[in-house]
Amino acid sequence: MALGPSLDKLGTSALIRRILLAILIVSLTIGAGGVYEILRNRALETASNDARLLLTSAVAVTSFTDDEVFHLMNQLPPDKFYKQLVPFYAANAVFHRLRETYPNYIYREPALNPTNPNDRPTPHEVELTERFQDNPALKEIEGIRREQGKDFFYLAQPIKVNHQQCLVCHSTPDRAPAAMVAEYGPSNGFGWAMNDTVGILELSVPITDELRGTAELAATLAAGLLLVFLITYIALTTALETALVTPLQRLADAADAASRTTNEHVTLPNSGTRELRQLSSAIGRLNLSLRKSLRQLSGGAPPPPETPPDKKED
Ligand code: HEC
């Protein structure tokens, strides 16, 4: 019953205003906030699907090169190194072509100790690699990162040395093809061991526009809700004030004054809605009959035949 005492002190207008404000807060939070959450999740889901599809195709290129192209190296002259046979070179090259059509999508295959200096990891990529190293059961990590004022959805998977054939080129320089060492140098991309997590595959999809569009939509909805609320608020409070609260207050004041005066003929205001006018007449009649009874009780002369001005129905 916590509402009881506070309701006692509250005027009708204040009560209605509080109810309307509560409705506004709830509808804004649920309406605009809910729509923002739904649209944002949908944008992220689309980005996640795009990223997964593209990352899967990059992995498909590496395994195709691994399975069907790499063994051709033995048939090529040993003094020349064909990097086209290297799985991760092939994936990078294919994606490079894809970016001619979709320049915003970013494919990366950074390693903590990379063969190609272009694959040196950023601090964010080092952090992801270390998370995969700390938790070998982790299959992928996805999230949002901000780079140069743009938001990207990223999907990352660990790169593990899962094949003895990787070690031909990534264990020691003397095991690697001499032509490869001549091209890439003897100090990068070596010293890897079987089952090491050496780097990550990461696909980033830009989502700045999608997130901005979502926020704009939610803001438009909030503005619309606010406008409808404002109109409702003004219309309701004005109608309430003129048709109910002010006449009721006038009636209450007049009834209060009538209860304190000795004057028998009091005029009560007769304005406001139908129910209020009914109440005013009833109070008028009540006042008259009360005074009649009081006069009789005090032994005065028999009352004059009197009828209140609006006592028509009786
Ligand atoms: C024939 C030698 C060779 C084999 C076999 C090979 N790689 Fe590489 N790898 C390279 C070269 C060369 C590059 C650099 C390619 C480039 O220029 O982008 C590379 C690049 C990479 C990269 C990108 C980061 C970096 O070092 O620049 C990763 C990750 C990688 N290899 C992992 C593997 C794994 C895992 C395997 C086994 C499944 C493997 N490699 C097999 C030679 C090889």
Side-chain angles (χ1 to χ4, degrees):
M1 287 305 283
L3 211 73
S6 57
L7 253 182
D8 285 350
K9 296 181 201 115
L10 220 57
T12 313
S13 294
L15 176 69
I16 298 292
R17 253 184 246 126
R18 280 187 195 186
I19 292 175
L20 286 177
L21 271 176
I23 293 174
L24 169 78
I25 293 168
V26 171
S27 58
L28 266 189
T29 321
I30 295 180
V35 163
Y36 177 75
E37 266 312 298
I38 290 172
L39 290 181
R40 188 174 184 275
N41 285 346
R42 197 164 290 172
L44 292 184
E45 209 178 288
T46 310
S48 170
N49 288 342
D50 285 359
R52 183 155 289 107
L53 181 70
L54 289 169
L55 200 61
T56 310
S57 30
V59 173
V61 173
T62 60
S63 61
F64 164 75
T65 322
D66 247 345
D67 298 345
E68 299 193 25
V69 185
F70 181 71
H71 67 273
L72 300 175
M73 188 152 76
N74 302 330
Q75 299 167 28
L76 294 167
D79 55 325
K80 209 169 170 324
F81 181 66
Y82 293 93
K83 53 186 168 197
Q84 289 77 5
L85 306 183
V86 172
F88 287 89
Y89 173 83
N92 217 351
V94 167
F95 210 87
H96 192 72
R97 281 163 178 72
L98 191 131
R99 287 196 70 191
E100 287 166 9
T101 317
Y102 297 101
N104 288 327
Y105 291 74
I106 302 170
Y107 167 73
R108 294 264 302 147
E109 44 187 35
L112 295 185
N113 169 22
T115 321
N116 186 331
N118 288 341
D119 297 327
R120 252 187 236 124
T122 62
H124 161 77
E125 290 163 347
V126 171
E127 188 205 312
L128 290 182
T129 311
E130 286 172 352
R131 275 174 67 189
F132 282 121
Q133 287 175 336
D134 292 345
N135 185 355
L138 202 59
K139 292 277 175 280
E140 60 180 38
I141 300 175
E142 56 177 39
I144 298 171
R145 74 158 197 278
R146 207 172 166 74
E147 214 167 76
Q148 293 164 357
K150 285 186 184 163
D151 290 312
F152 288 94
F153 177 88
Y154 66 83
L155 177 68
Q157 290 175 358
I159 299 177
K160 284 191 179 155
V161 179
N162 53 0
H163 216 285
Q164 281 299 334
Q165 128 188 328
C166 313
L167 297 178
V168 174
C169 300
H170 289 295
S171 58
T172 52
D174 53 300
R175 264 188 84 184
M180 172 188 147
V181 181
E183 189 170 335
Y184 289 90
S187 46
N188 308 314
F190 295 111
W192 300 359
M194 202 56 194
N195 294 324
D196 273 0
T197 297
V198 292
I200 56 166
L201 281 177
E202 186 190 25
L203 219 132
S204 307
V205 181
I207 50 166
T208 315
D209 293 345
E210 283 75 3
L211 290 187
R212 193 184 301 133
T214 300
E216 278 170 7
L217 252 167
T220 312
L221 184 77
L225 276 176
L226 209 66
L227 187 73
V228 171
F229 172 81
L230 220 76
I231 295 170
T232 314
Y233 182 85
I234 293 172
L236 259 181
T237 48
T238 312
L240 195 76
E241 200 67 42
T242 49
L244 192 72
V245 177
T246 314
L248 190 63
Q249 186 63 57
R250 254 190 255 130
L251 179 61
D253 290 346
D256 187 50
S259 72
R260 294 168 203 277
T261 179
T262 49
N263 187 358
E264 263 190 29
H265 290 286
V266 287
T267 38
L268 295 173
N270 198 10
S271 60
T273 50
R274 180 165 44 83
E275 294 85 352
L276 266 181
R277 291 197 306 276
Q278 225 172 318
L279 181 64
S280 170
S281 312
I283 294 175
R285 285 196 300 278
L286 204 63
N287 179 46
L288 271 179
S289 42
L290 193 69
R291 282 174 198 277
K292 254 189 262 173
S293 321
L294 278 175
R295 228 183 299 129
Q296 277 173 345
L297 268 180
S298 61
E306 202 178 340
T307 343
D310 43 8
K311 198 182 171 184
K312 285 162 202 146
E313 301 100 319
D314 285 8

